[in-house]
């Protein structure tokens, strides 16, 4: 239990007042979504949309005030920008540049996405729905890239249902440098960051979109990743706030879509594909997970969820098909045990499937970047 309460946090925040405000942010009703876990405080401040950038110092002041409270180990504060009904969107800042087209209408240029220092490529692993084995695919893809000679990190972007602590067999809390920068956890040569390292496993994260977005950006940009060839991002299922935040604010090298062969999963996978196309993130390919089942006692093959649906979909829409991952007891058991199959059975057929997928993904990343990806040799 934390040595402080929500009421004490609110009392502390009464000392914070923004420029031009006649009262403090608590009395003005600007503070919401206070959440306390393991000595850390998470909350948002609602501000007018047209003053969001101007009020960034207000966010920092609130964060400093809460961090100074006895017993507080850290604070994560986000600004929630609300626009009044009927009001026009804020005007773009001067000097951003506009392209004038034949019809005389000015089209604003898309703002450049800031890269992450030291990270050469960022690959998202996504799915249209849950239950298709996306996180297991993501961690084994990351370990496959590592096995193929690359320096790799993995970010668990599923704030509501983080999987990486269990999949990688990591316990404990990450350390901080200078009170802000987080040192990523590490196992099997992978650097990893997840909300699951910051809160207890059974904690329910009851957050609105802005808090999720703020948490993602801090886990991405305020982590000492070091020099990485590639950062794999395990996206939450669906096409919500987290996916849009990553697609719009992070220079993704591309996305890998995970689906099972069945029609229902493919329908949702198409939604993910369409989302990435709309936000101009290249789709590196589709993985068909749980593609088939080999009975361990007889060796007989069963297409439990059908077969070949993801490959046909990839051919239909013109994206690479990256491979078929079988449904096996070995993959399930090693994932649950925190010893993913690529590291626990590196010479087995399942590990080879993931390494093959990793090679195809890396070749795609190199091709998309206009450079030759380094060749990968299996010994």
């Amino acid at each position: 239990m934390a040595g402080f309460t929500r009421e004490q946090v609110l009392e502390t925040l009464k000392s914070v007042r923004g420029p031009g405000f006649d009262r403090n942010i608590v009395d003005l009703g600007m503070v919401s979504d206070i959440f306390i876990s393991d000595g850390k405080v998470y909350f948002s401040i609602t501000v007018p949309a047209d003053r969001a950038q101007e009020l960034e110092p207000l966010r920092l002041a609130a964060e400093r005030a809460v961090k100074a409270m006895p017993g507080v180990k850290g604070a994560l504060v986000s600004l929630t920008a609300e626009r009044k009904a009927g009001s026009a969107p804020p005007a773009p800042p001067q000097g951003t540049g506009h392209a004038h087209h034949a019809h005389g209408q000015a089209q604003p240029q898309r703002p450049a996405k800031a890269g992450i220092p030291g990270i050469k490529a960022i690959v998202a692993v996504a799915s249209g729905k849950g239950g298709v084995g996306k996180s297991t695919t993501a961690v084994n893809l990351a370990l496959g890239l590592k096995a193929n000679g690359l320096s790799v990190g993995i970010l668990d972007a599923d704030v509501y249902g983080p999987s990486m602590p269990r999949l990688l067999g990591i316990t404990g809390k990450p350390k901080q440098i200078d009170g802000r920068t987080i040192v990523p956890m590490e196992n099997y040569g992978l650097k990893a960051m997840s909300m699951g390292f910051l809160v207890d496993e059974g904690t329910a994260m009851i957050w609105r979109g802005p808090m999720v977005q703020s948490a993602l950006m801090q886990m991405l940009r305020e982590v000492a990743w070091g020099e990485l060839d590639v950062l794999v991002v395990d996206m939450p299922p669906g096409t919500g706030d987290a996916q849009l935040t990553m697609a719009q604010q992070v220079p993704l090298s591309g996305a890998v879509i995970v689906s099972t062969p069945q029609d229902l999963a493919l329908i949702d996978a198409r939604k993910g594909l369409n989302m990435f196309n709309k936000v101009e993130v290249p789709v590196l390919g589709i993985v068909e997970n749980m593609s088939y089942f080999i009975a361990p006692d007889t060796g007989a093959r069963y297409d439990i969820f059908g077969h070949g649906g993801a490959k046909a979909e990839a051919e239909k829409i013109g994206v690479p098909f990256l491979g078929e991952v079988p449904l096996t007891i070995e993959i399930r058991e090693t994932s649950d045990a925190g010893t993913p199959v690529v590291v626990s059975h590196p010479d087995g057929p399942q590990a080879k499937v993931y390494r093959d997928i990793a090679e195809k993904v890396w070749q795609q990343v190199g091709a998309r970047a206009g450079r030759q990806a380094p060749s990968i040799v299996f010994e």
Side-chain angles (χ1 to χ4, degrees):
M1 294 291 292
F4 53 90
T5 66
R6 180 180 183 277
E7 289 68 29
Q8 289 172 320
V9 172
L10 286 170
E11 192 63 33
T12 296
L13 289 173
K14 287 182 178 180
S15 65
V16 180
R17 181 180 297 191
F21 293 180
D22 59 353
R23 287 174 291 165
N24 64 70
I25 61 175
V26 175
D27 290 343
L28 288 172
M30 298 170 65
V31 179
S32 63
D33 298 332
I34 291 181
F35 177 80
I36 299 172
S37 177
D38 193 35
K40 299 181 181 67
V41 183
Y42 308 81
F43 62 94
S44 60
I45 303 172
T46 303
V47 300
D50 57 354
R51 297 190 66 188
Q53 290 186 331
E54 171 195 348
L55 293 176
E56 173 61 13
L58 173 69
R59 185 191 71 80
L60 294 173
E63 186 177 88
R64 285 194 299 268
V66 173
K67 281 184 174 180
M69 292 177 61
V72 173
K73 298 177 183 177
L76 190 155
V77 185
S78 67
L79 291 183
T80 304
E82 287 191 354
R83 185 177 298 130
K84 293 181 180 178
S87 65
Q94 297 296 319
T96 55
H98 292 79
H100 292 274
H101 295 266
H103 297 291
Q105 295 180 340
Q107 299 293 328
Q109 293 180 345
R110 290 180 180 271
K113 301 172 185 176
I116 313 301
I119 298 178
K120 297 176 184 177
I122 304 175
V123 173
V125 179
S127 65
K129 63 179 293 182
V132 299
K134 171 190 52 60
S135 293
T136 297
T137 302
V139 74
N140 280 293
L141 169 62
L143 289 166
L145 290 163
K146 174 68 179 175
N148 290 345
L150 303 174
S151 55
V152 186
I154 188 163
L155 170 65
D156 187 349
D158 194 345
V159 171
Y160 298 119
S163 302
M164 285 307 132
R166 172 146 317 200
L167 285 170
L168 286 171
I170 298 176
T171 58
K173 306 291 183 183
K175 298 179 180 178
Q176 279 190 310
I177 306 170
D178 61 35
R180 188 168 185 87
T181 305
I182 301 173
V183 179
M185 306 295 274
E186 189 168 344
N187 201 12
Y188 309 123
L190 284 186
K191 293 181 179 179
M193 189 60 213
S194 169
M195 183 58 69
F197 299 144
L198 303 177
V199 300
D200 294 333
E201 187 176 44
T203 301
M205 306 301 289
I206 308 172
W207 283 356
R208 295 192 180 102
M211 286 299 294
V212 173
Q213 295 165 17
S214 182
L216 280 179
M217 289 302 99
Q218 289 200 31
M219 287 196 297
L220 183 66
R221 299 189 182 278
E222 296 181 15
V223 171
W225 292 109
E227 298 293 324
L228 296 178
D229 291 313
V230 60
L231 177 68
V232 174
V233 180
D234 179 26
M235 304 284 274
T239 54
D241 288 322
Q243 292 85 343
L244 288 174
T245 296
M246 294 298 299
Q248 293 175 341
Q249 298 189 33
V250 179
L252 295 174
S253 302
V256 173
I257 305 295
V258 181
S259 179
T260 57
Q262 64 196 111
D263 290 342
L264 186 59
L266 289 167
I267 289 171
D268 290 316
R270 289 184 200 113
K271 296 175 184 176
L273 286 161
N274 290 334
M275 185 203 75
F276 285 114
N277 286 331
K278 286 182 179 179
V279 294
E280 299 180 1
V281 172
V283 175
L284 303 175
I286 300 177
V287 173
E288 183 170 277
N289 196 35
M290 307 182 198
S291 183
Y292 54 89
F293 174 70
I294 302 294
D297 52 348
T298 65
R301 170 173 168 153
Y302 299 92
D303 294 334
I304 298 176
F305 300 113
H307 182 258
K311 184 176 183 179
E313 185 68 21
E315 293 173 350
K316 178 181 177 181
I317 61 179
V319 301
F321 179 66
L322 299 174
E324 302 173 346
V325 179
L327 175 63
T328 70
I329 294 174
E330 186 176 58
I331 292 177
R332 195 272 300 168
E333 288 180 340
T334 57
S335 297
D336 288 348
T339 56
V341 69
V342 170
V343 290
S344 58
H345 299 83
D347 299 322
Q350 288 79 27
K352 184 180 185 305
V353 169
Y354 286 118
R355 289 199 309 271
D356 287 345
I357 291 172
E359 181 181 16
K360 292 175 183 176
V361 167
W362 187 240
Q363 293 295 337
Q364 280 287 314
V365 169
R368 297 278 182 179
R371 64 180 184 272
Q372 181 63 40
S375 60
I376 299 171
V377 178
F378 296 113
E379 295 182 358

